[in-house]
Amino acid sequence: MFKCNLNASHQTFDETVFRLYQFFFLSILLYRDLWKNVTCGYNDKVEYNFEQVKWSKILGLPELEQLTPDEIKKTKKVADNQAKIYSLLMKKYQAFEENPPLVPDNLKANVELLAKTFGLNEAEKSILIFLAVIKLNQFNCLDLFNILKNKKADLITYRELISDFLSTICDCGYETLYKALSKSGALMQNRLVRIDEDPRDFEYYLILDPDLAAKLVYPHQKLHDLLAMSLVKGKESQLTLEDFSYLSPNLPLLVQYLRKARETQKSGINILLYGPPGTGKSELSRAIAQDIGADLFEVPVVDEEGDAVSDRMSCLMFNLSQLKNNPSAILVFDEAQDLFKNFGATPFLATLSAKGNEKQNKGLTNKVLENNQTPVIWITNSIQAMDPAYIRRFDFCLEVPVPPEKQRQKIIENKAGAFLLPAGIHCIAQRNDIAPAVIDRTAKVISTISTSKEEMQKHFFTHLNASLISMGIRPVQLSSRPDDEELYDPALSTADYDLAQVAQGISESLSARLCLYGVPGTGKTAWAHYLGRVLGKRVIVKRCSDLLDCFVGMTEKKIAAAFEEAKTENAILVMDEADSFLQKRSGANYSWEITQVNEMLTQIENFEGIFVATTNALDVMDDACLRRFDLKVKFDYLDAKKSKILFKRYCEKICPESFIDDRILEAVGNLRSLTPGDFATLMHQSRFNPLRTPEALLKGLEKECKTKEGHHHKRPIGFN
């Protein structure tokens, strides 16, 4: 500690602190005779302006005001005045030696509290007291060391100079102080003091937060008051690991690893959970802690007043220090991308100051990842924002995607089952881009409404879609259209293969790559949905709007994600209008058009599930792509027999009481460009434009066929 009186005194607090500041200020002036350079204003020899250095007032020596020269000259008057100045300074210093300045009790007690928490030694405690005292006064006397820098004296480094100076005023040696000012020292590691290795001047070399400096002299301070930090106990999990069973086999392995690491008290345990927002990563961390019987703590993102925590690294170091003797603890650090920023990935976003901070933080962060005694679960929404150099240091990286449909349905039933009908639950569960957290927030809002379940479902969809639109996500449509599934019959599609037999074959192999081609409306996508019903599998339909992206490389990523989604959910993947992605590469004008096709070809070839591509333009598709399909099925216009059967079935649905005249059936059979899609269109149209008679239905079909004339080839005339 300092070479001064550590005992209590009768002096007031302010007097005690100011007298200690006087001692520091005077000691700096006498260090290497810095006082000899003091002038009334700017001293061009040392490039320093002393106008703000009111040393006569600070030291309580009014005589200095008259003795301070305007400039340093080799004259007898300046020499005489400097002799008088030196005499005054030494007399003041001797007074400090006879009656040493005091370290205030509050300051001493608070520094001891930090020392006990973070394991600070005497040198580190001395540095904290020194910085706190000079920070509490208007003039930062560290700035005086710039005189030596400007004189270009043989100074070596900032760190060596400060260590040398402090060794003259405290009981610690140079080597101990030098070590205390290292990046690996407790002051830096615990973010109590920040050190800038390349400051613009000495004032910014050692930085102590002004709030901390002020709090250090307050009486009866507790640790969380000093650092505006506290241990935050994690919430209890509302879920169990069983709710995350879709993360097998990785999750059980992760839990086993964490359990063993806790038993052996292994240090440097770091787990990374990543995935889209709202997929339950925080809830998973709580479920993991609950399963292995650990005490869960969380590094706060906001403080007690709801403001964002500005220095989360300090919070992390504080939490690790507090938990190091708790063998049952696990710490969670959410929004980890804030700490592991990848400045190299987006250099135009990184400011110069951020770049400087990156250099300082990287070594410290790496050390945390290697030496933390408490296991840490890091959570982030995107690893793209993280430096790869950090990612490879994690023991375990687990992706937490949006849950598969079966699990989504269970989550929706648990969180919003009171407000949704079965059809509404099924409709939302079909979407894999709606995170559980969005459902949860919507349910909280709708829970305040008291009305019928049908009305609550309407309100639920209204609020949910408003949230989705604000996030740039396609809204959910609760379809009120007539159900076409019961009217679909593969035998009534005109194809060059037996569609029912193909479906049966796929049900046995559970692997197929099909290309369904032909004119629009002939039932290509409808058959894919029929296949899903036969196999009991979900059908994922991807269209251009789902996959095409304006940024280079993003379309390829979305294509890969679509195949991964189908694999994860064991679903049938349908690529509608596949010609948009698989056009002949020989006609490509841009490189991204080629890479887009290449990505699709690679994914098709490696996909072991059921893939169905539909197209109205087979002739524009790349030859290499066509070779990768196991089966190419052509869909065509309805023949007369199938047209009549479909007409009867739709009449039973639209106008069940009407009689169908043979002349009407004959007219239907004569329509040469009729498709199942035409019937479905009129079925949907009947919601707002009722078709009450078979004649009205026939008239509508004739109009649909006439509309297509000139756009598609007609069915060849012949016997049926």
Side-chain angles (χ1 to χ4, degrees):
M1 195 64 76
F2 293 98
K3 299 171 182 176
C4 52
N5 193 348
L6 299 180
N7 299 317
S9 80
H10 63 279
Q11 290 181 302
T12 65
F13 166 75
D14 288 340
E15 289 176 340
T16 306
V17 172
F18 184 69
R19 191 161 187 269
L20 188 55
Y21 172 73
Q22 282 184 318
F23 171 69
F24 292 151
F25 181 80
L26 179 59
S27 298
I28 292 174
L29 288 171
L30 294 173
Y31 179 73
R32 298 200 181 188
D33 291 334
L34 291 181
W35 65 271
K36 291 183 177 180
N37 300 281
V38 179
T39 59
C40 291
Y42 184 74
N43 184 340
D44 59 354
K45 292 183 179 179
V46 293
E47 299 178 3
Y48 191 88
N49 192 347
F50 291 93
E51 191 173 350
Q52 302 300 322
V53 185
K54 307 296 183 182
W55 66 336
S56 60
K57 292 183 179 180
I58 293 174
L59 295 174
L61 300 173
E63 303 94 328
L64 289 177
E65 188 170 355
Q66 298 297 323
L67 296 173
T68 305
D70 294 327
E71 57 181 329
I72 305 298
K73 294 181 179 180
K74 292 183 179 180
T75 63
K76 186 176 184 304
K77 182 179 179 181
V78 170
D80 291 343
N81 286 345
Q82 283 196 333
K84 294 176 182 178
I85 290 173
Y86 182 69
S87 176
L88 288 170
L89 295 179
M90 289 306 299
K91 186 177 180 181
K92 185 75 175 180
Y93 192 80
Q94 289 167 4
F96 280 123
E97 288 183 326
E98 294 170 3
N99 182 19
L102 304 169
V103 175
D105 286 343
N106 296 337
L107 177 57
K108 185 169 56 177
N110 290 328
V111 169
E112 286 295 339
L113 178 59
L114 292 178
K116 182 179 178 181
T117 302
F118 298 109
L120 305 182
N121 58 31
E122 288 299 315
E124 290 158 344
K125 289 191 286 184
S126 298
I127 292 169
L128 265 184
I129 292 174
F130 173 71
L131 292 177
V133 170
I134 63 174
K135 197 73 177 180
L136 289 171
N137 287 271
Q138 188 172 4
F139 175 66
N140 188 337
C141 52
L142 277 178
D143 199 38
L144 291 173
F145 286 117
N146 287 307
I147 298 170
L148 295 174
K149 183 185 73 171
N150 294 334
K151 287 178 70 175
K152 297 180 175 56
D154 184 17
L155 285 182
I156 33 185
T157 65
Y158 288 92
R159 181 179 169 191
E160 290 171 323
L161 178 63
I162 295 295
S163 301
D164 184 54
F165 165 71
L166 290 175
S167 68
T168 66
I169 62 171
C170 71
D171 296 324
C172 303
Y174 170 84
E175 294 294 337
T176 308
L177 290 161
Y178 185 83
K179 186 176 180 180
L181 291 173
S182 71
K183 288 184 178 180
S184 60
L187 292 176
M188 183 67 172
Q189 289 286 296
N190 294 292
R191 311 284 281 185
L192 297 173
V193 173
R194 283 178 291 150
I195 298 175
D196 187 348
E197 294 287 4
D198 188 25
R200 62 178 182 268
D201 55 47
F202 270 94
E203 182 181 355
Y204 301 99
Y205 169 61
L206 285 175
I207 302 172
L208 179 70
D209 187 271
D211 289 340
L212 176 57
K215 290 174 181 177
L216 282 173
V217 295
Y218 288 168
H220 313 300
Q221 290 287 287
K222 295 182 179 180
L223 192 62
H224 70 271
D225 296 323
L226 283 175
L227 301 176
M229 302 171 195
S230 60
L231 279 174
V232 178
K233 194 78 169 67
K235 298 178 183 177
E236 289 190 11
S237 177
Q238 302 299 312
L239 302 174
T240 66
L241 292 185
E242 185 63 30
D243 295 305
F244 296 93
S245 58
Y246 58 92
L247 297 177
S248 293
N250 291 327
L251 180 56
L253 181 60
L254 164 59
V255 173
Q256 183 181 351
Y257 174 71
L258 260 181
R259 183 179 285 113
K260 189 69 176 177
R262 286 183 63 249
E263 290 173 358
T264 58
Q265 293 297 293
K266 185 179 178 182
S267 62
I269 303 299
N270 294 280
I271 309 298
L272 178 64
L273 304 181
Y274 68 96
T279 52
K281 298 182 291 295
S282 297
E283 197 65 36
L284 174 58
S285 69
R286 295 164 190 156
I288 291 172
Q290 181 175 283
D291 187 78
I292 64 177
D295 298 327
L296 189 72
F297 296 89
E298 299 175 357
V299 177
V301 178
V302 296
D303 58 24
E304 294 176 353
E305 297 180 357
D307 298 323
V309 175
S310 58
D311 190 353
R312 298 193 68 211
M313 174 59 90
S314 295
C315 288
L316 172 64
M317 301 308 299
F318 169 79
N319 279 264
L320 289 174
S321 295
Q322 292 291 286
L323 296 173
K324 62 185 177 183
N325 296 319
N326 183 351
S328 298
I330 285 181
L331 187 61
V332 172
F333 192 106
D334 205 350
E335 307 293 344
Q337 65 273 9
D338 294 344
L339 197 62
F340 300 114
K341 289 178 181 177
N342 185 1
F343 292 97
T346 52
F348 55 92
L349 295 178
T351 62
L352 291 176
S353 60
K355 278 285 190 181
N357 290 335
E358 178 202 10
K359 291 178 181 178
Q360 287 192 17
N361 292 339
K362 199 160 188 176
L364 174 57
T365 307
N366 286 337
K367 188 169 183 178
V368 170
L369 290 174
E370 293 168 359
N371 301 321
N372 52 302
Q373 293 177 297
T374 301
V376 180
I377 297 178
W378 306 83
I379 297 175
T380 181
N381 295 332
S382 173
I383 57 174
Q384 278 72 38
M386 296 175 62
D387 190 328
Y390 291 129
I391 295 175
R392 67 170 180 263
R393 294 177 181 272
F394 290 101
D395 302 283
F396 214 112
C397 296
L398 178 64
E399 182 179 12
V400 186
V402 174
E405 183 180 358
K406 184 178 179 180
Q407 184 63 27
R408 291 199 297 271
Q409 186 147 343
K410 182 179 177 182
I411 291 172
I412 296 168
E413 287 172 352
N414 289 339
K415 294 182 177 294
F419 319 117
L420 294 172
L421 299 170
I425 293 174
H426 177 72
C427 182
I428 298 173
Q430 288 281 309
R431 294 280 297 275
N432 76 327
D433 54 351
I434 302 176
V438 180
I439 303 297
D440 191 34
R441 286 195 299 272
T442 304
K444 287 179 181 178
V445 174
I446 304 304
S447 66
T448 62
I449 300 173
S450 179
T451 183
S452 67
K453 198 164 187 177
E454 289 77 8
E455 286 299 311
M456 281 196 289
Q457 176 165 280
K458 290 181 182 178
H459 292 310
F460 192 97
F461 272 80
T462 299
H463 188 274
L464 174 63
N465 285 333
S467 299
L468 294 177
I469 291 170
S470 69
M471 293 185 288
I473 301 174
R474 178 167 53 90
V476 182
Q477 298 296 330
L478 182 59
S479 177
S480 59
R481 297 168 65 170
D483 188 6
D484 296 324
E485 291 182 3
E486 63 183 82
L487 293 170
Y488 180 80
D489 185 346
L492 297 179
S493 290
T494 302
D496 55 356
Y497 285 90
D498 186 327
L499 297 178
Q501 186 176 340
V502 171
Q504 180 61 35
I506 294 174
S507 69
E508 296 173 3
S509 68
L510 295 179
S511 177
R513 296 173 293 188
L514 308 178
C515 177
L516 311 183
Y517 68 97
V519 293
T522 50
K524 299 181 291 294
T525 305
W527 182 80
H529 285 285
Y530 162 79
L531 180 62
R533 294 194 296 275
V534 170
L535 303 182
K537 291 179 177 287
R538 180 189 170 203
V539 178
I540 299 174
V541 179
K542 295 295 183 180
R543 301 176 177 84
C544 293
S545 58
D546 300 315
L547 301 177
L548 291 178
D549 198 287
C550 59
F551 294 105
V552 174
M554 288 306 297
T555 297
E556 291 86 338
K557 285 189 176 182
K558 289 184 177 181
I559 290 172
F563 280 90
E564 184 62 31
E565 179 188 350
K567 178 183 176 182
T568 301
E569 304 212 6
N570 192 25
I572 297 172
L573 178 60
V574 177
M575 202 73 74
D576 209 4
E577 300 176 4
D579 50 280
S580 301
F581 309 99
L582 294 169
Q583 292 189 12
K584 296 181 186 295
R585 285 170 288 183
S586 57
N589 295 316
Y590 302 98
S591 61
W592 54 263
E593 295 176 296
I594 297 174
T595 58
Q596 184 175 292
V597 175
N598 291 342
E599 180 64 31
M600 182 69 84
L601 294 179
T602 301
Q603 293 294 339
I604 293 173
E605 189 166 3
N606 295 330
F607 188 58
E608 297 179 354
I610 300 171
F611 173 69
V612 179
T614 69
T615 178
N616 302 327
L618 186 69
D619 56 323
V620 304
M621 294 177 67
D622 194 272
D623 294 335
C625 168
L626 295 177
R627 290 195 300 271
R628 281 170 170 78
F629 290 112
D630 304 321
L631 185 67
K632 293 174 276 293
V633 182
K634 181 180 180 181
F635 284 70
D636 211 335
Y637 294 114
L638 294 170
D639 58 32
K641 182 179 178 181
K642 293 175 181 176
S643 297
K644 292 174 184 179
I645 295 173
L646 267 179
F647 186 83
K648 289 178 181 179
R649 291 188 181 181
Y650 274 87
C651 279
E652 290 174 2
K653 197 77 176 174
I654 297 175
C655 43
E657 303 298 328
S658 301
F659 172 74
I660 305 174
D661 191 276
D662 288 342
R663 291 176 299 172
I664 294 176
L665 287 176
E666 191 64 30
V668 172
N670 289 331
L671 294 175
R672 301 300 181 182
S673 56
L674 197 59
T675 68
D678 297 328
F679 286 95
T681 298
L682 292 174
M683 182 83 170
H684 303 153
Q685 185 189 121
S686 66
R687 291 177 300 157
F688 56 87
N689 182 29
L691 304 171
R692 296 186 174 86
T693 65
E695 289 83 357
L697 180 57
L698 172 60
K699 189 175 180 180
L701 292 173
E702 289 174 339
K703 191 170 183 179
E704 289 296 320
C705 290
K706 188 176 180 180
T707 302
K708 290 184 284 187
E709 289 180 4
H711 295 280
H712 304 290
H713 296 293
K714 297 181 181 178
R715 173 168 55 84
I717 298 175
F719 294 102
N720 301 301

